[in-house]
Amino acid sequence: MPSNAPRMKLEATKALGAQVVLYDRATESREAVAAALIAQSNATLVHAFGDPWVIEGQGTAGIEIGEQLQSLGMKGPDLIVSCCGGGGLAAGLALACPDADIAIVEPEGWDDIIRSLEAGEILPVKDLLHPTYCDALQTPQTYPINFDVLRNRVSQGVSVTTAEVAAAMRLVFEKLHLVVEPGGAVALAAVLSGKIELKPVTAVTLSGGNVDRETFVQLLAQAA
Amino acid sequence: MPSNAPRMKLEATKALGAQVVLYDRATESREAVAAALIAQSNATLVHAFGDPWVIEGQGTAGIEIGEQLQSLGMKGPDLIVSCCGGGGLAAGLALACPDADIAIVEPEGWDDIIRSLEAGEILPVKDLLHPTYCDALQTPQTYPINFDVLRNRVSQGVSVTTAEVAAAMRLVFEKLHLVVEPGGAVALAAVLSGKIELKPVTAVTLSGGNVDRETFVQLLAQAA
């Protein structure tokens, strides 16, 4: 786990019985750290996003979106706006909802997939030290399995600022009474700031509530 | 609406198109204020708790508890721990779940129903100026319709402190990623502080998220 992961996430993982090994995002490769641990322990790697089963599991959110719309007597979704780090959730949603357009939203400075889709090849993040509150979306670069799904399906890709993320978190706090972490609020942030061209039936993902109290308070306070 | 109601609740009500008339909790009777408005406008009173239809509506939460337990292959609930202001929700739960024991939880200083059940008659709150964060539970006294249901069904009644409420709100923030207002957290506060004798299948109500950002931050910060 990155050494600057939210304390709450670290503690909750430990409480589930995990042995947590920390690494430095800026100077260490998590792939290399994991490979060394696996060599020592004969463990099995379950990659956070670059894995077909993980992608399939995240895609179940898309199946639920379809079912919930159906129970409301609606068709679709026509468009899914997805929070995007390594591209696991976005790829899963794309595969689960073959008739939906997919919009991906990344935090400012961590928009490697948007740039990769534009370039037609996988590009890494430019600056691993670029500050962001969206720790869950700080992926250095995507994997071919994610890229191959997304390159054929993503119709819009935008990045959002901290101020836009904070405004979305505040709206969710005030109107939905939910706690969403910064990285889980980027899709809504993009919609609220008018950066996404909506379709008649648009679904927006809110994913993850692992945010330390201090960070939550700070972002809510600075929200417009 | 009381003049010290959460700003968020006031604004959300206005946004729905309501004309909001404020009154002072300490010096005015909301019954008298409402009666004057009705005389002027020929409006219909929908009482917040002392009304059979309101009680029945709140009781649907009990039906949902039963259905959700059933879908998990469980029976019950054996006990429902209910947040309690005027006694509308608690009475509704009691009627909807005739086989369940009912525990009511009130904020410190606003424990008029607990005292009424002990006395066998409806007693008012002793001090209308007693400070509490649980604005939704600040009912001066209950109504006969609520009292008559609760007197035959309540097996436990306890009050909780602000510190206990704050600890419950923090747990809900950290583990459930939900925003719950102080008055909506009293039932869980009572359970967490060991004041409720639990039964094998116990349901705890978390009700209401109308809490201003400043109050939420303040209570989370002071939680142990």
Side-chain angles (χ1 to χ4, degrees):
Chain A
M1 198 175 275
S3 50
N4 64 346
R7 217 175 45 250
M8 183 195 291
K9 197 170 186 171
L10 179 65
E11 282 163 14
T13 309
K14 282 185 179 168
L16 289 169
Q19 179 197 346
V20 178
V21 178
L22 300 177
Y23 75 98
D24 187 302
R25 277 188 207 271
T27 60
E28 292 180 277
S29 149
R30 102 171 143 176
E31 274 72 9
V33 172
L37 287 168
I38 287 168
Q40 279 168 28
S41 62
N42 205 22
T44 299
L45 178 71
V46 180
H47 197 275
F49 60 84
D51 178 299
W53 303 108
V54 169
I55 291 171
E56 187 175 22
Q58 299 211 293
T60 59
I63 294 171
E64 288 180 47
I65 291 169
E67 286 174 352
Q68 288 180 19
L69 285 170
Q70 214 164 19
S71 76
L72 295 169
M74 298 170 74
K75 291 186 178 178
D78 303 315
L79 170 65
I80 305 177
V81 188
S82 176
C83 305
C84 188
L89 175 60
L93 293 169
L95 294 171
C97 301
D99 298 324
D101 284 357
I102 304 295
I104 58 169
V105 185
E106 293 181 299
E108 211 175 45
W110 293 83
D111 56 348
D112 55 294
I113 297 191
I114 295 168
R115 287 171 38 251
S116 299
L117 292 173
E118 282 167 4
E121 60 175 329
I122 295 177
L123 300 178
V125 158
K126 283 182 182 164
D127 174 12
L128 287 172
L129 295 176
H130 190 96
T132 181
Y133 284 96
C134 302
D135 60 277
L137 306 183
Q138 285 184 272
T139 321
Q141 69 179 55
T142 190
Y143 267 35
I145 186 174
N146 307 275
F147 185 69
D148 288 343
V149 173
L150 296 177
R151 68 190 309 176
N152 294 309
R153 296 294 306 284
V154 170
S155 57
Q156 300 179 64
V158 300
S159 64
V160 289
T161 65
T162 296
E164 288 163 345
V165 167
M169 288 173 68
R170 179 163 171 184
L171 184 91
V172 168
F173 168 80
E174 290 185 344
K175 302 293 183 190
L176 306 181
H177 303 149
L178 294 174
V179 176
V180 63
E181 66 183 70
V186 294
L188 182 60
V191 170
L192 291 176
S193 56
K195 290 179 170 176
I196 298 287
E197 196 177 323
L198 301 179
K199 294 212 151 200
V201 179
T202 297
V204 180
T205 64
L206 287 174
S207 61
N210 291 304
V211 53
D212 286 330
R213 197 167 42 144
E214 296 77 8
T215 307
F216 188 74
V217 165
Q218 192 182 334
L219 285 172
L220 245 61
Q222 75 182 64
Chain B
M1 196 175 275
S3 50
N4 64 347
R7 218 176 41 251
M8 182 195 292
K9 197 170 185 171
L10 179 63
E11 282 164 14
T13 309
K14 283 185 179 169
L16 288 169
Q19 179 197 347
V20 178
V21 177
L22 300 176
Y23 75 97
D24 187 303
R25 278 188 206 272
T27 60
E28 291 179 276
S29 150
R30 100 171 144 176
E31 273 74 8
V33 172
L37 287 169
I38 286 167
Q40 280 169 28
S41 62
N42 204 24
T44 299
L45 179 72
V46 180
H47 197 276
F49 60 84
D51 177 299
W53 303 108
V54 169
I55 290 171
E56 187 176 22
Q58 298 212 292
T60 59
I63 295 170
E64 288 181 46
I65 292 169
E67 286 175 351
Q68 288 180 20
L69 285 169
Q70 215 164 16
S71 76
L72 295 169
M74 297 169 75
K75 291 185 179 178
D78 304 316
L79 170 64
I80 304 178
V81 187
S82 177
C83 305
C84 189
L89 175 61
L93 293 168
L95 293 171
C97 301
D99 298 325
D101 284 357
I102 304 294
I104 58 168
V105 185
E106 292 182 299
E108 210 175 46
W110 293 83
D111 58 346
D112 55 293
I113 297 190
I114 296 168
R115 287 170 40 250
S116 299
L117 293 172
E118 283 166 4
E121 60 176 328
I122 294 177
L123 300 177
V125 159
K126 282 181 181 164
D127 173 12
L128 287 173
L129 295 177
H130 190 96
T132 180
Y133 285 97
C134 302
D135 60 278
L137 307 182
Q138 285 183 273
T139 321
Q141 69 179 54
T142 190
Y143 266 35
I145 186 174
N146 305 277
F147 185 68
D148 287 343
V149 172
L150 295 177
R151 71 191 306 176
N152 295 308
R153 295 295 306 285
V154 169
S155 58
Q156 301 179 64
V158 300
S159 63
V160 288
T161 65
T162 296
E164 289 163 345
V165 167
M169 287 173 68
R170 179 164 171 182
L171 183 90
V172 169
F173 168 81
E174 289 185 344
K175 303 292 184 191
L176 306 181
H177 303 150
L178 294 174
V179 176
V180 64
E181 67 183 70
V186 294
L188 182 61
V191 170
L192 291 176
S193 57
K195 290 178 170 176
I196 299 288
E197 196 178 322
L198 300 179
K199 294 211 151 199
V201 179
T202 297
V204 180
T205 64
L206 288 175
S207 62
N210 290 305
V211 53
D212 286 329
R213 197 167 43 144
E214 297 76 8
T215 307
F216 188 75
V217 165
Q218 192 182 335
L219 286 171
L220 244 62
Q222 76 181 65

